[in-house]
Amino acid sequence: NDDPYAPVSPHALSLIAEMGEDTPIDWVHRSVRFGEKLAPPDTAIADLLGMHPRTLQRHLAAENTSFETIREELRKETALRYLCETRIPLTQLAGILGLSEQSALGRSCLRWFGLSPAQRRKRAHPGAGMARRPEPTDQPKPGQVSPET
């Protein structure tokens, strides 16, 4: 079959039917998100879609992208969401993103955001983790005249 988008298995037909008129990029986004971690190899995603890895590469090349580019975008989006919305430990976040260790997360965050993971998290939650002083009372400060007098 000369059609580059022709599925090669019944499993692929059912997956693609569920995905409707989406592009190969959408297929990969959904497939990568099926996993617990954002690190499945492109061969596993191609298998899930019922196609040869090279066929998947051709589909993505036709959309001017690659599996690695899509995975990197998903990692960046996921990292930002976790850093801004949770207090998950950075080692655990590295694992969720499919990175080998926390230092890989640090390098990735510097590349994506120009900040370390801790700095990016701090930007989302200014003052978080710092002890807060109690709010001042209505009592005048020493040397200040009370408005009632």
Side-chain angles (χ1 to χ4, degrees):
N1 192 345
D2 292 333
D3 180 5
Y5 293 99
V8 294
S9 75
H11 178 68
L13 282 172
S14 66
L15 259 177
I16 292 167
E18 289 174 19
M19 295 178 186
E21 297 297 318
D22 294 339
T23 67
I25 294 171
D26 297 321
W27 304 345
V28 173
H29 273 264
R30 283 199 184 96
S31 300
V32 169
R33 287 186 175 141
F34 285 153
E36 183 179 310
K37 298 180 180 180
L38 293 178
D42 58 347
T43 54
I45 298 302
D47 286 347
L48 179 65
L49 293 171
M51 63 181 70
H52 191 275
R54 184 66 189 115
T55 303
L56 176 60
Q57 288 174 352
R58 282 194 302 272
H59 286 302
L60 296 175
E63 300 285 335
N64 296 316
T65 192
S66 69
F67 180 81
E68 191 54 44
T69 299
I70 293 170
R71 182 169 43 198
E72 192 71 6
E73 289 169 2
L74 288 172
R75 281 181 173 158
K76 180 181 177 181
E77 291 169 12
T78 303
L80 186 60
R81 188 176 76 246
Y82 275 90
L83 289 170
C84 293
E85 298 174 9
T86 73
R87 292 280 176 220
I88 189 171
L90 298 179
T91 52
Q92 191 174 351
L93 177 54
I96 289 169
L97 297 176
L99 301 172
S100 58
E101 53 193 38
Q102 186 176 334
S103 62
L105 174 62
R107 289 188 301 274
S108 295
C109 284
L110 284 173
R111 185 174 64 253
W112 297 329
F113 314 120
L115 300 166
S116 72
Q119 290 168 327
R120 184 61 192 98
R121 180 172 272 168
K122 228 179 245 181
R123 261 214 191 146
H125 306 283
M130 298 170 58
R132 297 191 186 269
R133 287 201 234 170
E135 291 295 319
T137 63
D138 292 330
Q139 299 297 319
K141 293 181 182 175
Q144 188 178 29
V145 178
S146 170
E148 299 165 358
T149 58

